């Protein structure tokens, strides 16, 4: 394939970051071309799995809260605009020892940013959510702004909307490399070359390969998302439990939103 068109932006990797970058750029009137060696959603990237936690109270640092809230507003707006909910605000329940750093940091984050966090004693947790028979010394911290994001719907819809706005998306198209000159970037793929003024690399596990020449200190780690069939599935039906976590072991869980267990 010879060069036939110059794009404003080329996006390498059409997972969560890439697909939404393509959408927002196209929405702002830029010409966009995007590439992915697979067809997201798939199991080879960090978006793998049906759902992702959306949380507002961050024990890692309260500076995340404004970013999380702004992201939540965008998820809500896009779901309403596209006619299908992407962010399901069913709340999130943190359970653990009230003396632990995690629970303390969650509570402090909620205080600083005036998050309507509810503190539940162990008996209240057990009565409200029978699936969680936590020890008497535990407490529950319920974040009503949190929930889960429908990964598949988000990826498919963002890519579809980007294409409706004129973005050119090439799936099953492996990027072999790229080279930059003054004011232009040439992307080399198995099907040919494409030229753009700017380049966005959201290649996930393949970032080391595509960015090798920049000498960046990138480390790719595999994190596994596992689903388990509960002993009492009805206790985890949608609507019966929120997203939850046991912070001592950093175990996240979801309601049975897709009939796959938690």
């Amino acid at each position: 394939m010879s060069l036939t068109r110059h794009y404003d932006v080329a996006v390498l990797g059409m997972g969560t970051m890439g697909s939404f970058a393509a959408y927002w750029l196209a929405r702002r009137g830029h010409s966009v071309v995007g590439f992915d060696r697979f067809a997201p959603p798939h199991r080879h990237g960090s978006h793998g799995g049906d759902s992702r936690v959306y949380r507002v109270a961050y024990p890692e640092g309260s500076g995340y809260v404004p970013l999380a809230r702004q992201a939540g507003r965008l998820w809500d707006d896009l779901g309403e605009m596209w006619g299908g909910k992407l962010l399901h605000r069913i709340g999130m329940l943190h359970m653990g020892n009230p003396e632990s750093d995690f629970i303390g940091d969650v509570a402090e984050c909620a205080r600083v940013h005036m998050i309507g966090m509810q503190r539940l004693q162990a008996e209240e947790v057990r009565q409200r959510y029978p699936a969680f028979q936590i020890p008497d010394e535990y407490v529950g911290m319920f974040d009503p702004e949190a929930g889960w994001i429908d990964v598949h719907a988000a990826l498919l819809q963002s890519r579809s909307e980007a294409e409706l706005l004129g973005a050119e998306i090439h799936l099953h198209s492996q990027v072999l490399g790229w080279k930059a000159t003054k004011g232009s970037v040439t992307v080399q793929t198995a099907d040919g070359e494409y030229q753009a003024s700017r380049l966005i690399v959201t290649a996930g596990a393949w970032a080391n390969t595509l960015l090798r020449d920049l000498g960046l200190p990138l480390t790719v780690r595999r994190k596994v998302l596992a689903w388990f069939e509960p002993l009492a599935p009805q206790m985890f039906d949608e609507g019966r439990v929120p997203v939850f976590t046991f912070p001592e072991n950093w175990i996240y869980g979801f309601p049975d939103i897709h009939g796959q267990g938690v």
Side-chain angles (χ1 to χ4, degrees), residues 30 38 61 88 90 96 102 109 112 123-124 153-154 159 170 176 180-181 187 201 206 232:
H30 298 287
F38 302 108
H88 299 256
I90 65 173
F102 187 100
C109 183
V112 170
E123 182 58 27
E124 294 177 283
R159 188 169 75 232
H170 297 267
L176 304 177
T181 56
V187 177
V201 179
W206 293 271

Side-chain angles (χ1 to χ4, degrees), residues 19-214:
S19 63
F20 276 93
Y23 166 72
W24 284 107
L25 287 166
R27 179 171 166 173
R28 294 172 185 176
H30 298 287
S31 59
V32 181
V33 60
F35 306 92
D36 199 286
R37 66 190 298 165
F38 302 108
H42 52 65
R43 299 189 302 169
H44 306 289
S46 59
H47 67 265
D50 292 326
S51 53
R52 281 297 184 278
V53 170
Y54 168 77
R55 56 195 174 108
V56 180
Y58 270 80
E60 299 93 335
S62 62
Y64 285 104
V65 175
L67 295 174
R69 280 179 160 161
Q70 174 62 9
R73 286 188 286 268
L74 292 172
W75 283 115
D76 291 336
D77 291 345
L78 288 177
E80 183 176 347
M81 183 187 307
W82 295 344
K85 188 179 291 187
L86 302 174
L87 171 57
H88 299 256
R89 293 181 184 266
I90 65 173
M92 183 171 185
L93 180 65
H94 304 283
M95 291 168 282
N97 191 309
E99 302 301 321
S100 68
D101 290 340
F102 187 100
I103 293 296
D105 290 343
V106 166
E108 177 62 13
C109 183
R111 185 192 67 79
V112 170
H113 291 277
M114 295 182 289
I115 300 170
M117 186 77 70
Q118 302 173 25
R119 183 185 176 100
L120 305 174
Q121 297 304 314
E123 182 58 27
E124 294 177 283
V125 172
R126 293 192 293 256
Q127 289 180 357
R128 186 183 295 189
Y129 309 112
F132 306 134
Q133 296 299 306
I134 62 175
D136 288 339
E137 65 270 21
Y138 273 33
V139 297
M141 302 293 291
F142 182 76
D143 179 356
E145 296 184 43
W148 63 277
I149 294 170
D150 189 330
V151 172
H152 285 203
L155 283 171
L156 294 174
Q157 193 69 41
S158 60
R159 188 169 75 232
S160 174
E161 295 293 332
E163 290 179 313
L164 287 174
L165 291 169
E168 183 180 316
I169 308 300
H170 297 267
L171 302 180
H172 302 291
S173 179
Q174 182 178 358
V175 173
L176 304 177
W178 58 274
K179 55 185 178 182
T181 56
K182 187 175 181 179
S184 180
V185 178
T186 300
V187 177
Q188 301 151 345
T189 77
D191 302 316
E193 293 186 343
Y194 298 79
Q195 197 172 54
S197 298
R198 296 289 186 270
L199 179 69
I200 295 177
V201 179
T202 54
W206 293 271
N208 268 336
T209 300
L210 290 174
L211 300 175
R212 182 187 298 113
D213 293 344
L214 299 182

